[in-house]
PDB file of all heavy atoms in Angstrom:
ATOM      1  N   SER Z  66     -30.170  -9.852 -20.421  1.00  0.00           N
ATOM      2  CA  SER Z  66     -31.113 -10.949 -20.882  1.00  0.00           C
ATOM      3  C   SER Z  66     -30.251 -12.150 -21.326  1.00  0.00           C
ATOM      4  O   SER Z  66     -30.750 -13.257 -21.251  1.00  0.00           O
ATOM      5  CB  SER Z  66     -31.941 -10.424 -22.096  1.00  0.00           C
ATOM      6  OG  SER Z  66     -31.115  -9.984 -23.134  1.00  0.00           O
ATOM      7  N   GLY Z  67     -29.009 -11.928 -21.624  1.00  0.00           N
ATOM      8  CA  GLY Z  67     -28.141 -13.044 -21.957  1.00  0.00           C
ATOM      9  C   GLY Z  67     -27.358 -13.682 -20.773  1.00  0.00           C
ATOM     10  O   GLY Z  67     -26.595 -14.595 -20.939  1.00  0.00           O
ATOM     11  N   GLY Z  68     -27.681 -13.119 -19.558  1.00  0.00           N
ATOM     12  CA  GLY Z  68     -27.073 -13.730 -18.355  1.00  0.00           C
ATOM     13  C   GLY Z  68     -25.822 -13.102 -17.855  1.00  0.00           C
ATOM     14  O   GLY Z  68     -25.276 -13.589 -16.883  1.00  0.00           O
ATOM     15  N   LEU Z  69     -25.353 -12.035 -18.524  1.00  0.00           N
ATOM     16  CA  LEU Z  69     -24.168 -11.378 -18.075  1.00  0.00           C
ATOM     17  C   LEU Z  69     -24.418 -10.492 -16.916  1.00  0.00           C
ATOM     18  O   LEU Z  69     -25.418  -9.783 -16.876  1.00  0.00           O
ATOM     19  CB  LEU Z  69     -23.584 -10.563 -19.254  1.00  0.00           C
ATOM     20  CG  LEU Z  69     -23.084 -11.325 -20.490  1.00  0.00           C
ATOM     21  CD1 LEU Z  69     -22.627 -10.331 -21.567  1.00  0.00           C
ATOM     22  CD2 LEU Z  69     -21.937 -12.261 -20.101  1.00  0.00           C
ATOM     23  N   TYR Z  70     -23.547 -10.525 -15.941  1.00  0.00           N
ATOM     24  CA  TYR Z  70     -23.766  -9.661 -14.726  1.00  0.00           C
ATOM     25  C   TYR Z  70     -23.316  -8.253 -15.080  1.00  0.00           C
ATOM     26  O   TYR Z  70     -22.320  -8.023 -15.743  1.00  0.00           O
ATOM     27  CB  TYR Z  70     -22.925 -10.166 -13.616  1.00  0.00           C
ATOM     28  CG  TYR Z  70     -23.529 -11.374 -12.821  1.00  0.00           C
ATOM     29  CD1 TYR Z  70     -23.194 -12.647 -13.202  1.00  0.00           C
ATOM     30  CD2 TYR Z  70     -24.425 -11.130 -11.798  1.00  0.00           C
ATOM     31  CE1 TYR Z  70     -23.760 -13.714 -12.557  1.00  0.00           C
ATOM     32  CE2 TYR Z  70     -25.039 -12.233 -11.173  1.00  0.00           C
ATOM     33  CZ  TYR Z  70     -24.704 -13.551 -11.594  1.00  0.00           C
ATOM     34  OH  TYR Z  70     -25.303 -14.571 -10.907  1.00  0.00           O
ATOM     35  N   LEU Z  71     -24.152  -7.308 -14.638  1.00  0.00           N
ATOM     36  CA  LEU Z  71     -23.912  -5.884 -14.898  1.00  0.00           C
ATOM     37  C   LEU Z  71     -23.232  -5.235 -13.675  1.00  0.00           C
ATOM     38  O   LEU Z  71     -23.588  -5.514 -12.550  1.00  0.00           O
ATOM     39  CB  LEU Z  71     -25.201  -5.107 -15.103  1.00  0.00           C
ATOM     40  CG  LEU Z  71     -26.027  -5.489 -16.343  1.00  0.00           C
ATOM     41  CD1 LEU Z  71     -27.401  -4.845 -16.259  1.00  0.00           C
ATOM     42  CD2 LEU Z  71     -25.254  -5.004 -17.630  1.00  0.00           C
ATOM     43  N   PRO Z  72     -22.209  -4.377 -13.910  1.00  0.00           N
ATOM     44  CA  PRO Z  72     -21.599  -3.648 -12.840  1.00  0.00           C
ATOM     45  C   PRO Z  72     -22.621  -2.701 -12.224  1.00  0.00           C
ATOM     46  O   PRO Z  72     -23.639  -2.314 -12.863  1.00  0.00           O
ATOM     47  CB  PRO Z  72     -20.453  -2.874 -13.468  1.00  0.00           C
ATOM     48  CG  PRO Z  72     -20.808  -2.782 -14.902  1.00  0.00           C
ATOM     49  CD  PRO Z  72     -21.613  -3.981 -15.206  1.00  0.00           C
ATOM     50  N   THR Z  73     -22.404  -2.233 -11.069  1.00  0.00           N
ATOM     51  CA  THR Z  73     -23.371  -1.367 -10.336  1.00  0.00           C
ATOM     52  C   THR Z  73     -23.695  -0.132 -11.170  1.00  0.00           C
ATOM     53  O   THR Z  73     -24.837   0.257 -11.241  1.00  0.00           O
ATOM     54  CB  THR Z  73     -22.822  -0.947  -8.944  1.00  0.00           C
ATOM     55  OG1 THR Z  73     -22.534  -2.146  -8.218  1.00  0.00           O
ATOM     56  CG2 THR Z  73     -23.851  -0.100  -8.220  1.00  0.00           C
ATOM     57  N   THR Z  74     -22.680   0.493 -11.789  1.00  0.00           N
ATOM     58  CA  THR Z  74     -22.895   1.699 -12.552  1.00  0.00           C
ATOM     59  C   THR Z  74     -23.663   1.501 -13.802  1.00  0.00           C
ATOM     60  O   THR Z  74     -24.157   2.430 -14.354  1.00  0.00           O
ATOM     61  CB  THR Z  74     -21.495   2.274 -12.883  1.00  0.00           C
ATOM     62  OG1 THR Z  74     -20.689   1.358 -13.545  1.00  0.00           O
ATOM     63  CG2 THR Z  74     -20.778   2.788 -11.685  1.00  0.00           C
ATOM     64  N   ALA Z  75     -23.777   0.234 -14.316  1.00  0.00           N
ATOM     65  CA  ALA Z  75     -24.541  -0.006 -15.507  1.00  0.00           C
ATOM     66  C   ALA Z  75     -25.933  -0.546 -15.324  1.00  0.00           C
ATOM     67  O   ALA Z  75     -26.673  -0.617 -16.240  1.00  0.00           O
ATOM     68  CB  ALA Z  75     -23.685  -1.067 -16.425  1.00  0.00           C
ATOM     69  N   GLN Z  76     -26.251  -0.763 -14.069  1.00  0.00           N
ATOM     70  CA  GLN Z  76     -27.619  -1.243 -13.809  1.00  0.00           C
ATOM     71  C   GLN Z  76     -28.601  -0.107 -13.945  1.00  0.00           C
ATOM     72  O   GLN Z  76     -28.367   1.021 -13.507  1.00  0.00           O
ATOM     73  CB  GLN Z  76     -27.675  -1.848 -12.383  1.00  0.00           C
ATOM     74  CG  GLN Z  76     -26.922  -3.097 -12.183  1.00  0.00           C
ATOM     75  CD  GLN Z  76     -26.860  -3.576 -10.766  1.00  0.00           C
ATOM     76  OE1 GLN Z  76     -27.746  -3.227  -9.983  1.00  0.00           O
ATOM     77  NE2 GLN Z  76     -25.897  -4.434 -10.416  1.00  0.00           N
ATOM     78  N   LYS Z  77     -29.676  -0.447 -14.626  1.00  0.00           N
ATOM     79  CA  LYS Z  77     -30.712   0.573 -14.854  1.00  0.00           C
ATOM     80  C   LYS Z  77     -31.533   0.886 -13.564  1.00  0.00           C
ATOM     81  O   LYS Z  77     -31.898  -0.060 -12.863  1.00  0.00           O
ATOM     82  CB  LYS Z  77     -31.704   0.067 -15.905  1.00  0.00           C
ATOM     83  CG  LYS Z  77     -32.749   1.104 -16.419  1.00  0.00           C
ATOM     84  CD  LYS Z  77     -33.592   0.504 -17.503  1.00  0.00           C
ATOM     85  CE  LYS Z  77     -34.607   1.499 -17.891  1.00  0.00           C
ATOM     86  NZ  LYS Z  77     -35.494   0.950 -18.991  1.00  0.00           N
ATOM     87  N   LYS Z  78     -31.710   2.186 -13.340  1.00  0.00           N
ATOM     88  CA  LYS Z  78     -32.444   2.583 -12.191  1.00  0.00           C
ATOM     89  C   LYS Z  78     -33.898   2.137 -12.271  1.00  0.00           C
ATOM     90  O   LYS Z  78     -34.569   2.327 -13.242  1.00  0.00           O
ATOM     91  CB  LYS Z  78     -32.405   4.116 -12.032  1.00  0.00           C
ATOM     92  CG  LYS Z  78     -33.068   4.683 -10.775  1.00  0.00           C
ATOM     93  CD  LYS Z  78     -32.945   6.114 -10.756  1.00  0.00           C
ATOM     94  CE  LYS Z  78     -33.725   6.700  -9.500  1.00  0.00           C
ATOM     95  NZ  LYS Z  78     -33.664   8.144  -9.347  1.00  0.00           N
ATOM     96  N   SER Z  79     -34.391   1.482 -11.222  1.00  0.00           N
ATOM     97  CA  SER Z  79     -35.750   0.954 -11.246  1.00  0.00           C
ATOM     98  C   SER Z  79     -36.789   2.021 -11.179  1.00  0.00           C
ATOM     99  O   SER Z  79     -36.597   3.121 -10.511  1.00  0.00           O
ATOM    100  CB  SER Z  79     -35.937   0.013 -10.031  1.00  0.00           C
ATOM    101  OG  SER Z  79     -37.237  -0.529  -9.984  1.00  0.00           O
ATOM    102  N   GLN Z  80     -37.903   1.889 -11.915  1.00  0.00           N
ATOM    103  CA  GLN Z  80     -39.017   2.763 -11.819  1.00  0.00           C
ATOM    104  C   GLN Z  80     -40.293   1.973 -11.433  1.00  0.00           C
ATOM    105  O   GLN Z  80     -41.406   2.358 -11.692  1.00  0.00           O
ATOM    106  CB  GLN Z  80     -39.288   3.400 -13.186  1.00  0.00           C
ATOM    107  CG  GLN Z  80     -38.247   4.489 -13.542  1.00  0.00           C
ATOM    108  CD  GLN Z  80     -38.553   5.074 -14.968  1.00  0.00           C
ATOM    109  OE1 GLN Z  80     -37.758   4.900 -15.840  1.00  0.00           O
ATOM    110  NE2 GLN Z  80     -39.639   5.813 -15.023  1.00  0.00           N
ATOM    111  N   GLU Z  81     -40.038   0.818 -10.776  1.00  0.00           N
ATOM    112  CA  GLU Z  81     -41.101  -0.084 -10.374  1.00  0.00           C
ATOM    113  C   GLU Z  81     -40.981  -0.260  -8.857  1.00  0.00           C
ATOM    114  O   GLU Z  81     -39.987  -0.181  -8.299  1.00  0.00           O
ATOM    115  CB  GLU Z  81     -41.000  -1.408 -11.074  1.00  0.00           C
ATOM    116  CG  GLU Z  81     -41.171  -1.342 -12.599  1.00  0.00           C
ATOM    117  CD  GLU Z  81     -41.020  -2.730 -13.201  1.00  0.00           C
ATOM    118  OE1 GLU Z  81     -41.435  -3.727 -12.585  1.00  0.00           O
ATOM    119  OE2 GLU Z  81     -40.537  -2.823 -14.366  1.00  0.00           O
ATOM    120  N   GLY Z  82     -42.204  -0.605  -8.283  1.00  0.00           N
ATOM    121  CA  GLY Z  82     -42.215  -0.873  -6.878  1.00  0.00           C
ATOM    122  C   GLY Z  82     -43.607  -1.258  -6.361  1.00  0.00           C
ATOM    123  O   GLY Z  82     -44.536  -1.329  -7.181  1.00  0.00           O
ATOM    124  N   GLU Z  83     -43.652  -1.512  -5.046  1.00  0.00           N
ATOM    125  CA  GLU Z  83     -44.887  -1.967  -4.439  1.00  0.00           C
ATOM    126  C   GLU Z  83     -45.324  -0.875  -3.480  1.00  0.00           C
ATOM    127  O   GLU Z  83     -44.618  -0.338  -2.635  1.00  0.00           O
ATOM    128  CB  GLU Z  83     -44.705  -3.235  -3.665  1.00  0.00           C
ATOM    129  CG  GLU Z  83     -45.934  -3.720  -2.933  1.00  0.00           C
ATOM    130  CD  GLU Z  83     -45.727  -4.928  -2.097  1.00  0.00           C
ATOM    131  OE1 GLU Z  83     -44.585  -5.571  -2.249  1.00  0.00           O
ATOM    132  OE2 GLU Z  83     -46.563  -5.282  -1.259  1.00  0.00           O
ATOM    133  N   VAL Z  84     -46.670  -0.463  -3.536  1.00  0.00           N
ATOM    134  CA  VAL Z  84     -47.191   0.504  -2.622  1.00  0.00           C
ATOM    135  C   VAL Z  84     -47.342  -0.115  -1.242  1.00  0.00           C
ATOM    136  O   VAL Z  84     -47.892  -1.240  -1.101  1.00  0.00           O
ATOM    137  CB  VAL Z  84     -48.586   0.973  -3.115  1.00  0.00           C
ATOM    138  CG1 VAL Z  84     -49.208   1.967  -2.068  1.00  0.00           C
ATOM    139  CG2 VAL Z  84     -48.462   1.641  -4.469  1.00  0.00           C
TER     140      VAL Z  84
END
Side-chain angles (χ1 to χ4, degrees):
S66 57
L69 295 175
Y70 281 93
L71 293 169
T73 303
T74 52
Q76 292 175 21
K77 185 177 180 181
K78 182 180 178 182
S79 177
Q80 288 178 248
E81 298 178 32
E83 177 186 350
V84 176

